[in-house]
Amino acid sequence: MIEQYDFDAIVSRQGTHAAKWEAGDLLKAWGMVERFDADTIPLFVADMDFPCPQPVLDALHARIDRKILGYSLHQTSTEYLDALCGWFQRQHDWTIDPASVIQCQGVVEALDIIIRTFTAAGDGIIIQPPVYGTFASTITKHGRVVVNNTLNEQDGVYTVNFEQFEQQAADPNNTLFLLCSPHSPVGRVWTLAELTQMAEICATHDVLVVSDEVHCDLTRADQKHIPLATLVNDDLRLITCTSTNKTFNIAGLSCANIIIDDPTLRNPFSSALGISFPSPLTLTAVTAAYQHSDVWLSQVNDYLDGNLAFIETFLREKMPTVGYRVPQGGYSAWLDFGRDSAEITRHINIKANIILEDGSASGEGGAGYQRMCVACSRSVLQEALERIGRII
Ligand SMILES: Cc1ncc(COP(=O)(O)O)c(C=O)c1O
């Protein structure tokens, strides 16, 4: 077993169907990029260019050697749930009841089901932009109404506008709140006081809370993620979305675990999801990840701390007009160019051959920013920053 990972090493993703590295022709046809060639550095998709944890790869090899990949269920033994519950206990002091876990293909799939199952057409759903763009698109796709509780921003520090949040939660038309914790893309790890206040407001006004905690394992060394479910609030109606996709860089295996203690929420969610057969490779990978990847995660987080600090130094020295604060969580840098972001995204694509995500994709408060995925080797990150620095 590898105990020391080398995240400086560059692992080619060519020829692996990588959406981030190989979808150039598709993205051009869709009008999303103008330039995408062998020299392009794509930093817009939020997956890592690091190898997966070695225990995951070893387990997959061993599973392939069993030669048959038939219909599979995680409930055939306690191994999968034991691994998951063990992880959250060790990493987050969160005791999960295995009976509360519902496995599905991804948080996006879960959000889709939750919105269809627990809200009605025309209901308002509160989100806190600038936030993961799929929140708003899923809400509107189903004929629900986006209610923006836009975050306050002061010198790059983001906080909740509680006064507005309370008013919005008190409106009986607003029935659901999609919390992003840690928040993406602004990188906030919410404090106990902030989480408690949001939970109390929602409990008081009977607003169902969906806490999207997919970035929970990827926090800076001085930060501690607090699962909303560990707050003691018996009146809070809560669904927590967790996922291995970000933490272990296995998004291609499509897995999320949705934690719902309250059976009056769990049963309708489960019925709406129906019976699905996860890939046996997914079950193998997720089990091994949650059982044996603590060392890998700790080293990934150290490396990300280094990358995010590297950006701070680089910008201060070479691009001082670009605003940036080291995010408390996640692996995206949220860069304030202070200019029309669609135009900047295009300029950086064409002139520097780098692909970033236009901050406008994150909704209100995102214009002027670029989201950059920094989960790559430091030399690639440096090359990308130098290229951008030359044309800005
Ligand atoms: C906040 C947030 N939620 C959900 C997802 C996607 O989750 P999944 O791959 O499990 O559908 C992402 C991916 O970028 C994300 O940033």
Side-chain angles (χ1 to χ4, degrees):
M1 184 178 301
I2 297 179
E3 287 297 330
Q4 187 59 51
Y5 289 88
D6 176 11
F7 298 120
D8 283 328
I10 294 172
V11 180
S12 169
R13 298 181 65 179
Q14 297 300 334
T16 66
H17 304 284
K20 188 177 185 176
W21 287 88
E22 297 186 276
D25 290 343
L26 212 52
L27 295 173
K28 281 191 220 163
W30 289 341
M32 290 174 66
V33 299
E34 288 183 44
R35 189 172 173 194
F36 202 125
D37 53 43
D39 193 37
T40 301
I41 303 180
L43 301 176
F44 65 120
V45 174
D47 72 9
M48 303 186 193
D49 293 323
F50 303 137
C52 301
Q54 192 61 37
V56 171
L57 301 176
D58 291 343
L60 286 171
H61 282 295
R63 180 63 186 82
I64 297 273
D65 287 343
R66 296 295 303 272
K67 300 181 194 297
I68 296 174
L69 300 168
Y71 292 118
S72 305
L73 291 166
H74 74 74
Q75 297 94 334
T76 55
S77 77
T78 62
E79 197 190 15
Y80 177 95
L81 291 175
D82 287 349
L84 176 132
C85 297
W87 175 270
F88 282 96
Q89 190 71 62
R90 289 194 303 285
Q91 294 281 339
H92 300 291
D93 306 318
W94 180 15
T95 307
I96 295 179
D97 177 354
S100 301
V101 180
I102 300 180
Q103 196 271 352
C104 69
Q105 291 208 345
V107 170
V108 172
E109 180 189 38
L111 293 177
D112 216 86
I113 292 172
I114 290 165
I115 289 172
R116 278 191 282 118
T117 308
F118 298 109
T119 68
D123 277 11
I125 299 180
I126 304 169
I127 60 172
Q128 294 175 319
V131 71
Y132 179 52
T134 303
F135 281 9
S137 57
T138 310
I139 293 169
T140 50
K141 183 172 92 180
H142 293 298
R144 278 58 169 171
V145 179
V146 174
V147 177
N148 283 322
N149 175 230
T150 306
L151 297 175
N152 292 325
E153 186 269 335
Q154 179 82 49
D155 298 328
V157 177
Y158 285 87
T159 50
V160 175
N161 179 344
F162 276 108
E163 200 184 330
Q164 185 193 52
F165 185 68
E166 171 110 54
Q167 286 163 5
Q168 291 168 333
D171 180 340
N173 195 55
N174 299 335
T175 53
L176 182 67
F177 167 44
L178 297 184
L179 169 67
C180 197
S181 175
H183 191 285
S184 177
V186 310
R188 273 299 316 276
V189 172
W190 302 115
T191 62
L192 180 60
E194 288 168 319
L195 292 171
T196 304
Q197 200 172 342
M198 287 189 269
E200 277 173 3
I201 290 171
C202 290
T204 303
H205 299 289
D206 199 28
V207 171
L208 172 63
V209 180
V210 174
S211 187
D212 176 339
E213 303 190 9
V214 305
H215 298 282
C216 67
D217 299 306
L218 300 154
T219 52
R220 302 291 80 71
D222 61 348
Q223 296 294 321
K224 176 109 183 83
H225 167 77
I226 303 170
L228 194 63
T230 59
L231 267 55
V232 181
N233 189 329
D234 292 340
D235 296 326
L236 184 67
R237 293 162 62 237
L238 173 65
I239 295 175
T240 304
C241 299
T242 73
S243 166
T244 41
N245 291 350
K246 301 288 166 197
T247 302
F248 305 108
N249 200 25
I250 53 174
L253 294 174
S254 301
C255 181
N257 292 288
I258 312 306
I259 318 298
I260 316 178
D261 286 329
D262 179 350
T264 66
L265 297 173
R266 189 171 63 242
N267 295 338
F269 178 88
S270 184
S271 304
L273 178 67
I275 294 179
S276 66
F277 295 101
S279 154
L281 298 182
T282 299
L283 297 182
T284 297
V286 171
T287 305
Y290 278 145
Q291 281 172 337
H292 302 300
S293 302
D294 302 64
V295 170
W296 181 89
L297 180 72
S298 144
Q299 292 181 28
V300 158
N301 273 326
D302 285 350
Y303 197 84
L304 291 172
D305 286 357
N307 273 3
L308 290 159
F310 174 81
I311 295 173
E312 188 174 43
T313 309
F314 187 98
L315 293 178
R316 195 174 46 238
E317 290 172 0
K318 299 190 177 150
M319 283 193 271
T321 58
V322 176
Y324 167 75
R325 263 183 191 268
V326 173
Q328 297 171 332
Y331 51 66
S332 293
W334 184 237
L335 304 171
D336 181 3
F337 283 80
R339 286 155 58 185
D340 179 322
S341 40
E343 191 271 319
I344 288 279
T345 311
R346 187 168 170 272
H347 180 68
I348 289 173
N349 172 220
I350 294 169
K351 297 287 182 205
N353 208 1
I354 308 292
I355 305 181
L356 304 180
E357 185 182 89
D358 173 359
S360 310
S362 300
E364 253 184 42
Y369 292 80
Q370 301 289 319
R371 193 191 72 169
M372 178 166 81
C373 174
V374 309
C376 58
S377 79
R378 196 146 316 146
S379 61
V380 171
L381 184 64
Q382 180 169 358
E383 167 69 12
L385 289 170
E386 278 170 2
R387 284 198 211 169
I388 295 171
R390 284 198 287 273
I391 56 103
I392 284 298

